[in-house]
Amino acid sequence: MLLTSTADDPAWGLKICEEADLGSGTVYPILERLVDAGWATRYEESGEHPGRPKRYYYELTAVGQQAAHQAKERKPRLFGLRSATEGGAL
Amino acid sequence: MSADEEVGEAISRAGGLAVVAVLTPILTGTAALIFLLVGYALKLLDPELAFAETMLTVGWLSGSVTAVAILGSAITLLFTALRNRPPEQDLDPEATASTPAQNARAGLRTLDFASFVAGERRSHLREEWAAVLAGDPGSGIVLSRRRRLRYALGFLWAALRMRLRDLTGPLWLPVDWLLSVESRTHGFITLAVGAQVVYIEYEDGLHALVTEGWGWCAGCGIALRLLVGRLRRIRGIELASAHDDSGGR
């Protein structure tokens, strides 16, 4: 989800929960850990936001993107039966 | 004094009480667990040991205190959060104007409580979560009352998990220290299996160790090895040499 977000369409809490089909109780502790680890950054919405509270957006840092790609390439191997480069979507 | 300052002062006043309310059941629960584990372990080694009985008594007593503390803390936190709830205009009234007031209040109360539990360090989450509850009509996401409540309860769960992580973080330090270097992990597993070997040999003799006991020791070693792998995945610990077949980084 964070990997596919763009500057025009950044990821924020509700969008992440809806698209990842995960509850807010699951998503926010993960986001906090990503931010604490330096894998993601959180920034406030800078533009006008009439009629609603300010949103906070999340995006992966360079370190986070690198770690995500490495994790994607390194899918778990079952007793060496699957190659390291095999794997589904993250 | 501005509304923000008033809210900040209210949160600060209630902060101490909230910390006590959250900490008490966790600390008494941890104490109960430790006393009971040590008590039963001692009793296993020597059923006649009076000290083991004392440990178990203290353990069960702590367990009872924990149960009462959980109830007391829940009530305290709920009342404190409701009493210190910031004024609703702070949440951008326009955002809730489009939804029925009753629906908005139910979600906002839970949201206030959740942000309160999350602590002052995460004060930004209140506004962030309020934005989530406001939905995203522009993208076709309009939250019904039930979904708003589900999200709000999720925030409460998230806040509790974050607080628990804050409190248990230091407890992971020795585990992380052990897991972060392969030689330490090997040393720990060898020590555990070695202690088992010595115990079986001492209690049942070398014959029992060679004929039956070795299986238990091997099983213990394999189980610990799997546990180490699992804990490393949970803690996000990766050894530099684990995935580097070319000779290390």
Side-chain angles (χ1 to χ4, degrees), chain A residues 3-90:
Chain A
L3 277 170
T4 55
S5 65
T6 60
D8 294 335
D9 187 21
W12 61 292
L14 182 63
K15 190 183 170 195
I16 296 171
C17 291
E18 291 290 317
E19 293 194 10
D21 196 21
L22 291 170
S24 51
T26 303
V27 166
Y28 275 95
I30 294 173
L31 288 174
E32 185 182 69
R33 290 180 73 174
L34 287 176
V35 171
D36 287 350
W39 286 14
T41 51
R42 176 182 43 234
Y43 60 95
E44 293 179 13
E45 181 178 22
S46 54
E48 293 290 315
H49 49 90
R52 59 170 175 76
K54 192 192 299 174
R55 289 175 185 167
Y56 286 76
Y57 296 121
Y58 292 86
E59 71 176 8
L60 283 180
T61 60
V63 179
Q65 283 182 357
Q66 192 185 359
H69 286 302
Q70 282 175 356
K72 206 173 178 180
E73 288 169 6
R74 200 188 306 137
K75 294 298 285 184
R77 282 174 285 187
L78 189 64
F79 301 111
L81 294 176
R82 285 176 69 190
S83 71
T85 49
E86 268 184 315
L90 185 66

Side-chain angles (χ1 to χ4, degrees), chain B residues 151-176:
Chain B
Y151 268 102
L153 289 173
F155 297 146
L156 184 58
W157 178 236
L160 284 169
R161 288 180 65 184
M162 290 168 179
R163 264 300 170 98
L164 198 62
R165 183 170 165 249
D166 290 349
L167 294 168
T168 57
L171 299 177
W172 280 103
L173 287 175
V175 180
D176 290 346

Side-chain angles (χ1 to χ4, degrees), chain B residues 169-181 184-185 231-232 234-237 239:
Chain B
L171 299 177
W172 280 103
L173 287 175
V175 180
D176 290 346
W177 177 83
L178 199 67
L179 297 176
S180 58
V181 179
R184 287 177 200 153
T185 311
L231 282 174
R232 277 190 181 139
I234 290 172
R235 300 295 297 158
I237 295 172
L239 303 181

Side-chain angles (χ1 to χ4, degrees), chain B:
Chain B
M1 187 183 283
S2 71
D4 281 350
E5 286 170 336
E6 283 175 13
V7 170
E9 196 181 326
I11 289 172
S12 163
R13 272 201 308 271
L17 189 62
V19 168
V20 171
V22 172
L23 273 180
T24 307
I26 290 173
L27 291 178
T28 51
T30 309
L33 189 70
I34 292 170
F35 280 126
L36 288 174
L37 280 177
V38 174
Y40 278 114
L42 289 174
K43 201 173 179 182
L44 205 66
L45 293 173
D46 183 1
E48 302 300 319
L49 195 65
F51 183 64
E53 288 298 331
T54 311
M55 293 288 276
L56 287 176
T57 307
V58 175
W60 285 117
L61 197 67
S62 303
S64 309
V65 173
T66 306
V68 175
I70 287 171
L71 188 66
S73 298
I75 294 168
T76 307
L77 283 174
L78 187 62
F79 276 100
T80 313
L82 290 175
R83 200 181 60 214
N84 293 288
R85 194 158 69 92
E88 290 196 5
Q89 63 268 27
D90 188 48
L91 274 179
D92 199 343
E94 289 179 54
T96 56
S98 59
T99 58
Q102 196 182 0
N103 293 359
R105 275 202 300 274
L108 289 178
R109 276 203 198 100
T110 316
L111 170 64
D112 287 334
F113 185 43
S115 61
F116 181 76
V117 172
E120 216 170 333
R121 187 167 77 85
R122 301 182 180 90
S123 54
H124 62 277
L125 284 177
R126 186 170 181 275
E127 190 176 26
E128 185 173 346
W129 288 345
V132 171
L133 289 187
D136 189 7
S139 303
I141 305 174
V142 180
L143 300 181
S144 64
R145 183 186 182 187
R146 177 176 284 188
R147 284 180 75 195
R148 279 171 62 89
L149 197 59
R150 205 175 66 191
Y151 268 102
L153 289 173
F155 297 146
L156 184 58
W157 178 236
L160 284 169
R161 288 180 65 184
M162 290 168 179
R163 264 300 170 98
L164 198 62
R165 183 170 165 249
D166 290 349
L167 294 168
T168 57
L171 299 177
W172 280 103
L173 287 175
V175 180
D176 290 346
W177 177 83
L178 199 67
L179 297 176
S180 58
V181 179
E182 195 72 301
S183 60
R184 287 177 200 153
T185 311
H186 285 157
F188 170 72
I189 294 174
T190 307
L191 198 68
V193 176
Q196 199 180 10
V197 168
V198 171
Y199 176 75
I200 293 173
E201 202 279 330
Y202 179 76
E203 285 291 318
D204 302 321
L206 188 63
H207 177 74
L209 175 67
V210 174
T211 53
E212 295 173 14
W214 68 270
W216 291 103
C217 298
C220 175
I222 291 167
L224 283 173
R225 188 66 221 173
L226 292 173
L227 179 68
V228 163
R230 178 81 184 140
L231 282 174
R232 277 190 181 139
R233 276 196 297 278
I234 290 172
R235 300 295 297 158
I237 295 172
E238 291 180 12
L239 303 181
S241 58
H243 301 288
D244 191 352
D245 297 333
S246 62
R249 281 182 280 191

